Amino acid sequence: MLRQELSEKVNYFLQKVKYISGGIVLFISALLKANVPDIPFISFFVNICQHNAWWIIISFTCVGGLSQLLNNRIGSPDIWRIVQHILDQYREEVFGKDESTRKDAEHFHRITLFKHCKWRWALIRWPCSGWLIPAARSGSRTKTKIQCFLASKEHPDEAEGVAGQTWARNREVKVFNLPDLSVNSAPEDNIIEYAKKAFVSKEWISNRMKRNRRGLQCRSLLGICIEVKGIPWGALVIDSRNPEPSQLKKIRSSKLKAYESILSRLLERL
Amino acid sequence: MWFPVNPKNVEELTQRLPTEGSKVKVEFMVSSYDIPEAVRGFYSEEKDRFIIEFKYIGNEPAKPQLQDDYVTFMVGKNSGRLYGIEIDVKTLGVEEVELRMQISKIKDEVRKTLDNLIQKPINRLRQDNYRLTQKALSEIEDKLYSPLSERGVVTSKK
């Protein structure tokens, strides 16, 4: 699930938990100084609260704190909406203004933002290896089941995919003219070459091809490192069905660099 | 005043994997964060030094790294990127020569320390960044050192 969707779903709930916890802590704290009234039910309630105040206050303070921490980790929906807008504008600048690509469907040329995390749920491989997980993608299509890539700080040579190599090398990685694997029964040699040049294993490619009946249609990739305060935060990956998109020559333009700069500043808060 | 720069040797620093007879091209290019966007030079009365600063698309706190008796580099705390060069013109001993030679001496000192930095980088991963800063400086040398000309470099306090 991409970060914008996740933050929209949980942000409201976590905010409520935080405020309710705060309210309970204040209420119980105030009751500590209250005189126990003679009314039976209320005196019983006040006595219970006063006797158990010590763990109620500690527990709900922790609950409120954890909610805020989790909210900060996920990021506010507003920031992720701005990130989404930047990715859309970036895509528009690269592909939307070019005669040869502006009429293509948006999922033919995509921009995905990957964030480096030390840990993720992974049933197949060790979850603490270090991963690049998808945080946002341009457009409104193909936003589920986006692959995560292995990117370990201890074993950077084993970083997977263009995203992983971009993060590990802290350089921009360009891969053009990948073999066409969208055909039925793509030759074995093409699969091996695709895997080697895209920095993934042959099994990874085979699994992707089984899941997608149209095969792998990405023919070129460009990875751009994203830094926050001088530290590699993740990678921006542009994938295209064009084997050699001339539009990617614009990558060094001042407008696109401005978008990268804004992204770096925004991501400081996440 | 910032002078925009566009170092021309960026593509020369691209590493290309051998194609091995295949049509697939794989290239590793310099990160956009390593390419200086603008440079400026000014004399700081407060520090009593001539300061050259580089601007990038990213930002981070910088720390001083003393190079020799005259030059201090300001490098990124996290990345080791070159953010600035501070030249102690008084210690450099330029008071006794005429202005043209003063500026020439400062330029030589900066070039020498940058060459040393490229040969013995503070952070090996940032070698491309150091080369690009050197290239950026060479593109706008005259404009960069003009504050020194206007000021007379060192109005030595006797």
Side-chain angles (χ1 to χ4, degrees), chain B residues 1-157:
Chain B
M1 181 179 146
W2 289 100
F3 297 108
V5 288
N6 196 5
K8 293 191 174 49
N9 65 336
V10 177
E11 294 310 314
E12 291 167 15
L13 300 171
T14 297
Q15 295 165 2
R16 292 175 176 86
L17 279 189
T19 51
E20 295 163 348
S22 149
K23 286 183 191 170
V24 183
K25 294 180 204 167
V26 180
E27 294 175 1
F28 303 108
M29 305 183 293
V30 175
S31 165
S32 298
Y33 289 83
D34 276 339
I35 304 172
E37 285 194 310
V39 188
R40 70 173 176 182
F42 61 96
Y43 194 92
S44 166
E45 300 288 352
E46 194 186 309
K47 290 186 178 182
D48 212 10
R49 290 177 178 196
F50 182 67
I51 298 175
I52 298 170
E53 286 181 342
F54 298 94
K55 193 193 251 191
Y56 300 93
I57 59 171
N59 210 354
E60 62 180 302
K63 61 181 183 188
Q65 192 100 15
L66 197 64
Q67 291 304 293
D68 55 32
D69 294 334
Y70 323 112
V71 176
T72 304
F73 287 144
M74 296 301 289
V75 294
K77 262 190 180 165
N78 299 315
S79 65
R81 207 164 270 138
L82 186 62
Y83 278 88
I85 306 172
E86 294 181 3
I87 305 116
D88 189 343
V89 294
K90 282 211 174 92
T91 314
L92 198 54
V94 293
E95 301 99 326
E96 64 278 8
V97 298
E98 64 177 34
L99 179 65
R100 184 177 50 83
M101 290 175 71
Q102 288 170 359
I103 296 174
S104 176
K105 194 170 178 181
I106 293 168
K107 283 183 188 176
D108 288 342
E109 186 61 31
V110 170
R111 271 189 222 122
K112 189 187 85 180
T113 41
L114 269 178
D115 283 339
N116 285 343
L117 180 64
I118 291 167
Q119 297 302 318
K120 293 174 191 170
I122 295 165
N123 183 335
R124 196 182 51 81
L125 295 173
R126 297 273 94 86
Q127 225 169 1
D128 288 339
N129 167 246
Y130 305 147
R131 287 195 181 101
L132 289 169
T133 52
Q134 187 185 53
K135 187 73 184 170
L137 279 182
S138 65
E139 275 176 22
I140 52 152
E141 242 179 10
D142 295 330
K143 283 190 273 186
L144 193 68
Y145 292 100
S146 59
L148 284 173
S149 309
E150 285 155 21
R151 193 185 175 278
V153 186
V154 178
T155 46
S156 52
K157 294 171 188 170

Side-chain angles (χ1 to χ4, degrees), chain A:
Chain A
M1 192 189 293
L2 295 177
R3 289 297 176 104
Q4 184 182 349
E5 196 186 336
L6 180 68
S7 71
E8 278 167 0
K9 281 183 176 166
V10 303
N11 176 260
Y12 179 75
F13 169 73
L14 289 173
Q15 294 277 57
K16 285 279 175 259
V17 166
K18 186 179 79 173
Y19 291 128
I20 290 170
S21 304
I24 290 172
V25 167
L26 282 171
F27 178 71
I28 299 293
S29 306
L31 272 186
L32 282 173
K33 287 285 186 185
N35 292 324
V36 181
D38 288 332
I39 306 158
F41 173 72
I42 294 175
S43 66
F44 173 73
F45 176 74
V46 170
N47 274 326
I48 291 282
C49 287
Q50 285 179 342
H51 279 112
N52 295 292
W54 67 272
W55 66 262
I56 294 176
I57 289 174
I58 292 170
S59 306
F60 280 95
T61 306
C62 291
V63 165
L66 276 169
S67 303
Q68 182 59 36
L69 195 71
L70 203 58
N71 220 5
N72 289 345
R73 290 277 305 194
I74 294 169
S76 86
D78 293 332
I79 293 191
W80 285 112
R81 264 182 230 119
I82 297 172
V83 169
Q84 178 67 47
H85 180 72
I86 290 172
L87 293 188
D88 291 339
Q89 289 302 305
Y90 200 107
R91 188 208 174 278
E92 179 64 22
E93 189 63 27
V94 177
F95 296 108
K97 294 180 179 173
D98 193 283
E99 271 306 311
S100 58
T101 51
R102 66 183 180 89
K103 290 180 184 168
D104 288 345
E106 64 180 18
H107 61 279
F108 282 20
H109 318 285
R110 303 175 298 195
I111 304 193
T112 312
L113 178 67
F114 288 88
K115 180 183 192 297
H116 185 261
C117 293
K118 289 178 205 163
W119 183 91
R120 73 173 262 254
W121 285 109
L123 295 174
I124 299 168
R125 290 184 284 191
W126 189 246
C128 306
S129 311
W131 296 89
L132 278 164
I133 57 170
R137 176 171 269 180
S138 62
S140 54
R141 307 280 190 273
T142 65
K143 292 182 113 160
T144 56
K145 296 180 186 171
I146 304 172
Q147 201 71 16
C148 299
F149 295 97
L150 187 66
S152 167
K153 279 188 180 174
E154 281 72 43
H155 306 285
D157 287 338
E158 292 167 23
E160 265 181 358
V162 164
Q165 287 294 313
T166 301
W167 175 85
R169 292 172 187 262
N170 203 211
R171 291 178 81 94
E172 292 178 5
V173 179
K174 191 160 81 171
V175 181
F176 280 5
N177 270 323
L178 286 164
D180 188 358
L181 299 186
S182 62
V183 296
N184 284 334
S185 311
E188 186 76 3
D189 287 347
N190 281 358
I191 294 175
I192 293 171
E193 190 181 22
Y194 196 114
K196 186 179 170 187
K197 296 290 161 74
F199 307 101
V200 291
S201 64
K202 185 171 155 279
E203 290 70 33
W204 190 98
I205 299 286
S206 303
N207 286 338
R208 291 288 290 182
M209 288 175 74
K210 275 181 207 162
R211 269 191 252 161
N212 187 349
R213 62 187 171 87
R214 290 183 188 270
L216 273 173
Q217 295 177 304
C218 164
R219 301 286 306 276
S220 60
L221 293 152
L222 173 66
I224 298 166
C225 27
I226 296 293
E227 287 185 14
V228 172
K229 291 186 181 170
I231 301 170
W233 183 91
L236 206 59
V237 176
I238 303 175
D239 68 270
S240 173
R241 292 191 184 186
N242 281 6
E244 197 152 2
S246 56
Q247 301 80 16
L248 295 185
K249 285 178 191 159
K250 289 185 214 169
I251 282 309
R252 301 280 193 210
S253 79
S254 52
K255 200 166 184 181
L256 294 180
K257 283 167 91 169
Y259 286 138
E260 286 165 36
S261 175
I262 295 168
L263 212 50
S264 287
R265 291 300 180 121
L266 264 179
L267 296 174
E268 279 178 22
R269 298 165 71 176
L270 299 169

